Amino acid sequence: MKTSSSVAQLWPQISAALPASEDQFLLLFSDTVESSVLDLLKRSRRHLYSQTSNSSLSLNAQIVLDYSWEKLNTGTWRDVDKEWRRVYSYGCLFKVAALCRGGPSEDELRQAIRTCDMGLLMGAAIMDNILQVIVGILQSQFKKSCEDGDDQGQPEVKRMKTECPLVPVIREELAVPRVKCPSLESFKTNYLLPLKPVVLEGVIDHWPALNQHPWSIDYLRSVAGCRTVPVEVGSRYTDEEWSQTLLTVDEFIDRFISNEAKGLGYLAQHQLFDQIPELKEDIRFPDYCCLGEDDEDHITVNAWFGPGGTVSPLHQDPQQNFLAQVMTPQQHLCQFQTSSRHEHVELANQVEVESPDTQRFPEFSKAPYLECVLQPGDVLFIPVQHWHYIRSLELSFSVSFWWS
Amino acid sequence: MRWFGFGFNAFEQICVHGKVTEDAGSDVKVTCPTELKSHVETSSCCLKKPGEIRASWSRRASLHLDGDSCVCLAGFVTATSVESCGVSGPKTCGCTDAVISEYHLTLTFPGRVEVWDIQKKESTPKWSMEINTQSDHTLKLPLVPGGYITNKPPFYHSLSPCLKAKSLALGAEHALLLCVTGDVYTWGLGSHGQLGHGGLTSEEEPRAVEALCGMPMSSVATGGWHSVCISAGGDLYVWGWNESGQLGLPSQGVRKALQQNQHTQQGNLGQEVKSSEEELQEVEKLKEFFISIQAFPALLDVTPSCEIKAVSCGSRHTAAVTTTGDLYTWGWGEYGQLGHQTLMSSDEPQRVEFFKEQQLRVVEVVCGTWNTFAAAIKEELSCS
């Protein structure tokens, strides 16, 4: 890749996002962080603001990353002190600086973007979420260099699995009711308060994701292709073969959506929109969320993106859920359970919903349930604590909003 | 007996950084075994060769335990002090054993145990307790009569006397106990298989590792997330996390890194290189072959027809000494802690050739978090 003038602009842009001088670059931590680690962070800071070689900065950054990584892997994730996640983010910051200071190659740019993503995924926000700011700068740079330096051009869009899935026929008496643009009052009275599921139609037609920037595989690649995201590999999380890995969006699409993948990959329950603000601009909070107590900052927004056949096994959510379907149909089965708690848990872990073992679980066939197929533009209201099971029929991208 | 160190040296805990400022890498990552020299020339006790070594991430403690026993610290020192050897800070004179962590230096003396905060320069220990050293003077830290000492408050934890504790190893989130009977018990978090009971669940109380019942063990060691023990017959058993090959079992991460390294080297030599996608598929095909977590003890063949005499672990690497005086290492190697003059990790035990080449017989090994210290004597002086 030729070094274009835009690469020369990269470091000044990043530099402008950093504190102007070493004195203004604060390194404040609780006693959890040992003085030896703090010493290394200070060394890195010194290298950042002086003319020392990138290799010293890079070396120290890597030590900080390796040490904090070990802390992040000690004990349960919930118990990991936030300070170690902050240290990890500083390690990422120093590493990115070392990669970008000297006119980075395309490979170094990719590494820098990946490093920012690792900090965003595993670290904790530092310096007004500086990693988010920097990854934005790097992504613009990356897009520019892709436009300039691409000799082969993008390979033509790979053929995707195009078999038309069998869309199941939903029986009238088992269908989740559908309503077009209900008023806030009528939604509250008829569905929210009595905790009844419903498919809302026409309520997200104004989303840019369905209008100005209709989401497609190509669009997702162009906006987020180089970004690293967590992916679940395997049929469902209750299986033995299930695991999690980190892939770029491009790799995820290549491996699990474009080709004949052997297994399933699912970008599930990930706060993608915090990580990639461009995508956040394409969606809106459903108006009905204002009926809840929380403001928008406390609503959890997750992305669910994968090929046909992905499954979220039977489970409950602890909050109200709006599940918005953006790309292609996704089947949804809604389960009511009226039996005791113990059986709920047993059912969640053992029952294969689509072919339940009615001999072992005789209650199951009698339990009333509802089902629906979500089309792009539909929003399913899943009341809090309602058991539900979701299977995608074909390539699907849904956005869930957990609110109270 | 001479001590050698290799691996992580960012705090000069192995050797002083060279004056060549360009090559920060070789200062921080010592890839070739380097003899430990005393740091402080003025203090008389430091001129003695250290009897024993203890190491944490940023420090090395040299124990001089004959006559006027004391502990000398090398490596990271807080800005307020440069000297070691107990002039200020921990008063180590007369101690019988020591253990070092990032925060604390734990010392036993006749009749008591003390925990000193080594991040601050204080004249009294942070915590101390009387112990009954009459009952068993062979106990080594972290064991003390009646229980054991950890790195964080509360420092003392009691152990049931029924267990008849002989030696104890503490990992980042688990504990491995060897009993006088040769039985092995584990407790703590088990999410990386390090408890050896076949699952990933945690244990609050010591639980016997049943898979080893009937096979008396003579020595135990723990890494960050793995466990190792030597049987009475000199065999090595391993279990826990293998993400860097620290169990000596096939590791996907290590193989991928080795392949990428070959890839780069072939590219440099202008040889034809397989596409990374092809290589990835090759590695993925062998997925069932790799072991990421070993939840039951597995017998590891370090080297054919050799008995293991001693073993020690860093956070993600393992080092073992054979009865024939060879040192084998495996696991994470990115700081040179395997001593093979490279920064590659290895999922297979490999002999540290340096000692063979120098005709040195390794007799002991102690690992710090990311480094390794080995004691060796000249080959001619040993009885063969």
Side-chain angles (χ1 to χ4, degrees), chain A residues 51-223:
Chain A
Q51 299 308 310
T52 50
S53 68
N54 272 340
S55 63
S56 306
L57 177 59
S58 179
L59 185 59
N60 275 315
Q62 194 57 49
I63 297 174
V64 169
L65 282 172
D66 287 334
Y67 191 76
S68 53
W69 184 90
E70 291 195 346
K71 294 293 187 191
L72 261 49
N73 279 279
T74 301
T76 56
W77 178 250
R78 211 178 346 190
D79 295 329
V80 171
D81 197 314
K82 190 176 170 190
E83 293 296 85
W84 289 117
R85 295 175 58 201
R86 289 180 64 230
V87 171
Y88 186 81
S89 290
Y90 277 103
C92 291
L93 179 61
F94 290 128
K95 181 168 177 177
V96 167
L99 284 165
C100 297
R101 211 155 55 157
S105 64
E106 183 183 311
D107 188 59
E108 283 168 331
L109 253 188
R110 274 186 208 275
Q111 275 187 62
I113 292 173
R114 187 190 154 84
T115 305
C116 285
D117 277 329
M118 293 304 292
L120 290 169
L121 292 171
M122 307 228 300
I126 52 169
M127 295 163 83
D128 287 328
N129 212 3
I130 194 171
L131 289 176
Q132 190 68 65
V133 171
I134 292 180
V135 79
I137 297 170
L138 293 174
Q139 246 189 300
S140 319
Q141 178 58 46
F142 192 73
K143 282 186 198 147
K144 268 188 227 150
S145 44
C146 280
E147 283 155 24
D148 294 340
D150 244 333
D151 12 52
Q152 310 129 314
Q154 277 291 73
E156 62 211 36
V157 177
K158 296 205 181 112
R159 288 207 66 208
M160 292 186 282
K161 301 183 196 176
T162 49
E163 339 91 51
C164 288
L166 294 168
V167 177
V169 173
I170 307 289
R171 288 189 305 201
E172 189 77 45
E173 64 271 24
L174 293 176
V176 174
R178 286 178 164 267
V179 168
K180 193 165 168 70
C181 298
S183 67
L184 288 176
E185 263 313 303
S186 89
F187 171 73
K188 182 173 169 184
T189 313
N190 299 322
Y191 302 104
L192 177 57
L193 289 176
L195 295 180
K196 288 191 155 145
V198 60
V199 176
L200 304 170
E201 295 175 343
V203 300
I204 58 169
D205 287 349
H206 58 289
W207 278 16
L210 292 164
N211 283 298
Q212 301 96 308
H213 301 141
W215 282 3
S216 65
I217 294 300
D218 285 344
Y219 176 75
L220 292 171
R221 278 191 194 272
S222 73
V223 163

Side-chain angles (χ1 to χ4, degrees), chain A residues 31-37 39-40 43 55-56 59 62-63 66-67 69-70 73-76 255, chain B residues 8 10-11 24-25 28-29 57-58 76 102-103 119 172-173 189 192 225 241 280 315-316 335 370:
Chain A
D31 287 340
T32 311
V33 177
E34 299 102 343
S35 8
S36 44
V37 179
D39 183 70
L40 276 178
R43 280 193 226 177
S55 63
S56 306
L59 185 59
Q62 194 57 49
I63 297 174
D66 287 334
Y67 191 76
W69 184 90
E70 291 195 346
N73 279 279
T74 301
T76 56
R255 245 189 260 185
Chain B
F8 184 62
F11 299 96
V28 169
K29 306 179 184 187
W57 180 65
S58 66
F76 179 67
E102 278 313 291
Y103 291 104
Q119 296 198 122
E173 45 185 32
L189 293 184
H192 296 93
W225 302 269
W241 208 11
L280 193 71
S315 67
R316 298 187 259 161
Y335 286 90
W370 295 351

Side-chain angles (χ1 to χ4, degrees), chain A residues 204-247:
Chain A
I204 58 169
D205 287 349
H206 58 289
W207 278 16
L210 292 164
N211 283 298
Q212 301 96 308
H213 301 141
W215 282 3
S216 65
I217 294 300
D218 285 344
Y219 176 75
L220 292 171
R221 278 191 194 272
S222 73
V223 163
C226 59
R227 304 297 303 276
T228 298
V229 292
V231 171
E232 299 180 357
V233 179
S235 303
R236 60 198 76 188
Y237 63 75
T238 42
D239 278 354
E240 268 186 12
E241 291 306 306
W242 185 87
S243 68
Q244 289 177 303
T245 188
L246 293 164
L247 297 173

Side-chain angles (χ1 to χ4, degrees), chain A residues 181-344:
Chain A
C181 298
S183 67
L184 288 176
E185 263 313 303
S186 89
F187 171 73
K188 182 173 169 184
T189 313
N190 299 322
Y191 302 104
L192 177 57
L193 289 176
L195 295 180
K196 288 191 155 145
V198 60
V199 176
L200 304 170
E201 295 175 343
V203 300
I204 58 169
D205 287 349
H206 58 289
W207 278 16
L210 292 164
N211 283 298
Q212 301 96 308
H213 301 141
W215 282 3
S216 65
I217 294 300
D218 285 344
Y219 176 75
L220 292 171
R221 278 191 194 272
S222 73
V223 163
C226 59
R227 304 297 303 276
T228 298
V229 292
V231 171
E232 299 180 357
V233 179
S235 303
R236 60 198 76 188
Y237 63 75
T238 42
D239 278 354
E240 268 186 12
E241 291 306 306
W242 185 87
S243 68
Q244 289 177 303
T245 188
L246 293 164
L247 297 173
T248 62
V249 171
D250 276 337
E251 285 167 343
F252 172 66
I253 293 172
D254 288 339
R255 245 189 260 185
F256 296 105
I257 292 176
S258 300
N259 296 327
E260 289 304 315
K262 292 224 186 88
L264 281 175
Y266 194 13
L267 201 176
Q269 198 174 319
H270 176 53
Q271 294 181 33
L272 187 68
F273 306 99
D274 287 341
Q275 195 190 352
I276 306 178
E278 293 89 337
L279 289 176
K280 190 167 193 173
E281 282 160 29
D282 288 343
I283 64 174
R284 301 282 180 271
F285 287 95
D287 293 334
Y288 305 92
C289 290
C290 72
L291 295 169
E293 291 147 15
D294 293 329
D295 58 30
E296 284 181 3
D297 289 338
H298 291 95
I299 298 179
T300 308
V301 185
N302 276 309
W304 306 78
F305 173 42
T310 59
V311 169
S312 292
L314 190 62
H315 70 282
Q316 301 171 309
D317 297 326
Q319 292 182 287
Q320 314 286 6
N321 185 359
F322 280 127
L323 184 64
Q325 189 64 14
V326 184
M327 275 166 60
T328 54
Q330 178 170 27
Q331 176 177 47
H332 185 267
L333 275 173
C334 213
Q335 302 288 337
F336 286 103
Q337 293 301 328
T338 54
S339 35
S340 72
R341 260 176 135 220
H342 167 75
E343 273 161 77
H344 290 180

Side-chain angles (χ1 to χ4, degrees), chain B residues 17-32:
Chain B
H17 289 166
K19 302 305 174 196
V20 184
T21 49
E22 280 313 303
D23 198 2
S26 63
D27 274 341
V28 169
K29 306 179 184 187
V30 174
T31 54
C32 184

